[in-house]
Amino acid sequence: KSDGFWRRTNMFKKQQQDVFEERYLRFISILGKGNFGSVELCRYDPWGDNTGDLVAVKELQSDKKANMADFQREIQTISSLHCDYIVKYKGICYSAGRLSTKLVMEYLPFGSLIGYMEKHRQNVCTRRLLLFASQICKGMEYLQSMRYVHRDLAARNILVASDTLVKIADFGLTKIIPVDKEYYRVTQPGESPIFWYAPESISELKFSHKSDVWSFGIVLHELFSYCDISRNPKRVFLLFFQVHSIMMQCWEFNSEDRPSFSSLQDMFENSLLDERE
Ligand SMILES: N#CCCn1cc(-c2nc(Nc3ccc(C4CCNCC4)cc3)nc3c2CCN3)cn1
């Protein structure tokens, strides 16, 4: 077995301390919702005197029982990762009532990179953007060393631990690259938006460390546009797509196939309208 396998398999390392008792888990607020379920801020307070730790608790939406296997895999994944630039696993909580497991993780007080950038964009200098970018690379390098492909690397899944530390989160789509292959092929198209996907992931459903690198490029764009909603990947993609198709029309080999300036004018009118939305 590869060393990555043994490092990932923490079966014999399942200590009791990673089991959290639901009765001591005090709900405080909802931190985030996704296509999986939700992440809640809780205080784990066995002494009942509010001295317990704040934790982020992820639970599967009860009607999404189908994803139970995926959720178990996500727990297996995150509990095998030990890196300063990856959100830390703290344990699990068996909620008797709902017959479901909850994933307990460290709580990162500043939330996702998107929200952080919107709020602190004035005082985030280029040096800090480069620091964040290098930290994400370090986290991804570690992930690659464990033969994991993240498959959903995006600013929304980068969390801010402090003004000088970001961490990779959300391993719901993470897969292990088989030892004899360089990529992982999924059976059905993913749920996450195509604007972060490498071409081969869109056309052949192939995911690899190199498709994570493509997504990292998109994250760089998000970082250096301060996660500005008007320049988000979807908008940039569609605008480039539009302008690129207008260029291709102008470059029709046969002259009569080229658009007139009045029709070109209309095309720009429309795209400007889209921009203003
Ligand atoms: N990734 C991913 C997608 C799923 N998701 C994960 C989390 C998460 N959030 C936090 N912290 C956090 C989050 C939001 C705020 C907001 C609240 C309202 N106003 C502004 C700031 C503040 C702190 N800590 C975490 C997690 C997972 C592990 N530790 C949230 N959604």
Side-chain angles (χ1 to χ4, degrees), residues 30-33 36 39 56 58 87 105-112 156-159 169-170:
I30 294 268
L31 292 173
K33 272 190 169 313
F36 53 89
V39 177
K58 183 168 187 174
V87 74
M105 298 167 281
E106 66 171 323
Y107 167 63
L108 275 71
F110 291 81
S112 92
R156 64 179 175 276
N157 291 332
I158 303 293
L159 295 171
D170 209 336

Side-chain angles (χ1 to χ4, degrees), residues 213-272:
V213 166
W214 176 289
S215 304
F216 173 73
I218 305 290
V219 172
L220 271 184
H221 183 277
E222 293 183 275
L223 259 177
F224 284 84
S225 57
Y226 290 90
C227 297
D228 184 343
I229 190 75
S230 68
R231 289 187 288 164
N232 75 16
K234 173 175 181 177
R235 190 175 286 265
V236 169
F237 180 96
L238 294 177
L239 181 64
F240 280 13
F241 205 78
Q242 273 176 340
V243 173
H244 183 263
S245 86
I246 294 174
M247 288 180 203
M248 299 315 278
Q249 291 175 60
C250 296
W251 295 330
E252 281 292 347
F253 189 82
N254 300 322
S255 59
E256 64 273 13
D257 294 340
R258 293 170 207 152
S260 66
F261 278 113
S262 70
S263 61
L264 282 166
Q265 169 60 19
D266 297 344
M267 293 179 209
F268 285 107
E269 275 301 305
N270 300 340
S271 61
L272 281 177

